[in-house]
Amino acid sequence: MAAVHKIMGDFYEDPFDLVALHSSSEDYELVYAINLYLKTRFKRCREDLQLTPLLSFPIFEWKDQGDESYWSLIKNDSFRQDASPRSDLFTGEPSFTTHHLVPEHKEVDYFLKIEQNNFDLEQEVLRPLLKVPKIITAYTIDTSTLKSKNNLIFV
């Protein structure tokens, strides 16, 4: 009888912390403010995160060589123009549909994903983020409860 081996789904995943950010700013404005206040060096990735051929999310990243950490900032929503023609009062005008990277947290504007071990998230990230004028609020999210956690595995 042959042995059957199963690979666990979480086997390949690196642990990460996830911070939810609420901000009405554009992504480039928010990144500039975070870089200024947290002394980070986020840069826009050349390619957006593609969930489907028609759905993409802009992503900013920073690799901190000193702490051996990898930070990602990604917008939670993406707009896609609908292909079907409208038959209401605004005939001829384009219509858009909003899609969320993490649908169970639709109210969140941006996510900050931090991959690092032995890290005081409250002291080193949350408190400085709350001092950024462009950020309304910031808080951590328990990643073990997320249904769409696979959407956040993009590196």
Side-chain angles (χ1 to χ4, degrees):
M1 182 178 268
V4 176
H5 298 282
K6 292 185 180 181
I7 298 176
M8 300 292 291
D10 296 336
F11 180 75
Y12 62 92
E13 295 176 12
D14 290 329
F16 62 90
D17 293 311
L18 192 63
V19 178
L21 301 175
H22 292 261
S23 175
S24 59
S25 299
E26 292 292 327
D27 52 7
Y28 59 88
E29 291 177 302
L30 183 63
V31 166
Y32 179 79
I34 291 173
N35 282 343
L36 190 63
Y37 279 82
L38 270 68
K39 307 295 185 234
T40 56
R41 292 192 175 126
F42 280 101
K43 291 185 180 178
R44 173 86 187 251
C45 291
R46 291 189 186 272
E47 296 182 16
D48 292 346
L49 173 64
Q50 293 282 129
L51 285 187
T52 67
L54 299 173
L55 190 61
S56 66
F57 297 87
I59 184 169
F60 296 81
E61 67 179 358
W62 173 52
K63 295 177 184 174
D64 186 6
Q65 303 298 339
D67 292 338
E68 296 181 3
S69 61
Y70 178 74
W71 298 45
S72 305
L73 180 77
I74 189 161
K75 194 167 180 151
N76 189 30
D77 56 12
S78 177
F79 299 100
R80 184 176 61 128
Q81 186 172 348
D82 294 331
S84 60
R86 294 177 70 158
S87 61
D88 58 3
L89 182 62
F90 301 102
T91 303
E93 295 293 320
S95 63
F96 295 91
T97 305
T98 304
H99 298 275
H100 297 279
L101 181 68
V102 181
E104 54 266 33
H105 289 286
K106 291 180 181 180
E107 71 283 356
V108 175
D109 297 310
Y110 298 91
F111 287 106
L112 181 62
K113 178 183 167 188
I114 305 168
E115 298 175 23
Q116 182 181 19
N117 297 331
N118 302 326
F119 189 61
D120 185 8
L121 191 65
E122 176 75 27
Q123 188 69 25
E124 297 181 36
V125 177
L126 281 179
R127 287 187 183 167
L129 278 174
L130 291 172
K131 293 178 183 176
V132 177
K134 302 255 182 216
I135 296 177
I136 299 167
T137 189
Y139 52 89
T140 59
I141 292 182
D142 183 15
T143 57
S144 64
T145 62
L146 288 178
K147 294 177 185 174
S148 57
K149 185 177 180 180
N150 289 339
N151 292 350
L152 295 169
I153 301 170
F154 42 82
V155 176

XYZ file of all heavy atoms in Angstrom, residues 14 25 30 35 38 43 54 65 73 93-94 104 114 120 132 135 143 146:
143
model
N 4.393 32.807 4.685
C 5.161 33.472 5.722
C 4.202 34.259 6.594
O 3.257 34.860 6.088
C 6.184 34.429 5.100
C 7.302 33.693 4.400
O 7.639 32.579 4.838
O 7.832 34.237 3.419
N -7.136 60.141 1.132
C -6.079 60.615 0.234
C -5.854 59.645 -0.921
O -6.148 58.449 -0.823
C -4.759 60.759 0.996
O -4.891 61.690 2.024
N -0.684 59.491 0.216
C -0.548 58.723 1.447
C 0.859 58.151 1.580
O 1.460 58.209 2.651
C -1.588 57.606 1.492
C -1.597 56.769 2.759
C -1.956 57.625 3.971
C -2.573 55.619 2.617
N 6.102 57.916 4.130
C 7.559 57.985 3.985
C 8.139 59.113 4.836
O 9.203 58.963 5.423
C 7.953 58.181 2.524
C 7.866 56.912 1.717
O 7.816 55.811 2.253
N 7.827 57.050 0.413
N 7.271 58.038 8.898
C 7.830 56.777 9.394
C 9.258 56.533 8.928
O 9.852 55.525 9.268
C 6.959 55.592 8.960
C 5.848 55.179 9.902
C 4.768 56.200 10.005
C 5.307 53.836 9.514
N 8.036 52.642 -2.627
C 8.064 52.974 -4.051
C 6.995 52.168 -4.751
O 6.698 51.036 -4.366
C 9.428 52.648 -4.662
C 10.518 53.563 -4.169
C 11.803 53.294 -4.885
C 12.886 54.229 -4.352
N 14.169 54.004 -4.973
N -8.926 41.669 -15.676
C -9.567 42.984 -15.702
C -9.528 43.709 -14.361
O -10.046 44.811 -14.252
C -11.026 42.833 -16.143
C -11.240 42.242 -17.531
C -12.717 42.000 -17.774
C -10.652 43.153 -18.589
N 16.394 46.740 4.512
C 17.564 45.861 4.635
C 18.056 45.773 6.072
O 18.558 44.741 6.507
C 18.693 46.348 3.722
C 18.308 46.453 2.257
C 17.919 45.128 1.636
O 18.267 44.060 2.115
N 17.173 45.200 0.552
N 2.171 48.331 0.781
C 0.977 49.155 0.958
C 0.129 48.983 -0.285
O 0.619 49.163 -1.402
C 1.342 50.629 1.143
C 0.146 51.555 1.341
C -0.373 51.419 2.770
C 0.521 52.987 1.059
N -23.176 57.382 -20.721
C -22.123 57.616 -19.735
C -21.586 56.277 -19.245
O -22.347 55.317 -19.085
C -22.654 58.419 -18.541
C -23.086 59.828 -18.881
C -21.919 60.692 -19.297
O -20.840 60.582 -18.693
O -22.080 61.472 -20.253
N -20.291 56.183 -18.978
C -19.753 54.904 -18.487
C -20.183 54.652 -17.042
O -20.391 55.581 -16.262
C -18.242 55.099 -18.579
C -18.044 56.571 -18.524
C -19.254 57.189 -19.159
N -14.278 41.328 3.091
C -14.852 41.351 4.437
C -14.493 42.626 5.211
O -15.015 42.850 6.292
C -14.480 40.102 5.238
C -13.016 39.799 5.336
C -12.533 38.835 4.279
O -13.049 38.829 3.153
O -11.608 38.083 4.575
N 3.129 43.810 6.658
C 4.511 43.826 7.135
C 4.948 42.400 7.416
O 4.347 41.711 8.240
C 4.655 44.681 8.409
C 4.106 46.079 8.161
C 6.104 44.727 8.859
C 3.948 46.901 9.411
N 7.552 44.937 17.408
C 6.554 45.588 18.243
C 5.683 46.471 17.351
O 6.002 47.625 17.108
C 7.227 46.404 19.343
C 6.222 47.001 20.309
O 5.029 46.668 20.233
O 6.648 47.823 21.151
N 0.273 60.663 11.357
C 0.249 61.129 9.976
C -1.084 61.848 9.739
O -2.145 61.254 9.934
C 0.413 59.952 8.984
C 0.310 60.434 7.553
C 1.731 59.237 9.221
N -3.940 60.216 7.604
C -4.550 58.969 8.058
C -5.586 59.278 9.130
O -5.275 59.904 10.143
C -3.485 57.989 8.584
C -2.557 57.582 7.438
C -4.136 56.773 9.217
C -1.421 56.680 7.853
N -5.112 38.231 10.877
C -5.084 37.575 9.569
C -5.633 36.149 9.607
O -6.021 35.624 8.564
C -3.662 37.549 8.994
O -2.795 36.897 9.923
C -3.171 38.954 8.716
N -9.307 36.026 8.305
C -9.633 36.511 6.964
C -10.010 35.362 6.034
O -9.291 34.370 5.935
C -8.451 37.263 6.360
C -8.120 38.620 6.935
C -6.894 39.195 6.252
C -9.284 39.571 6.808
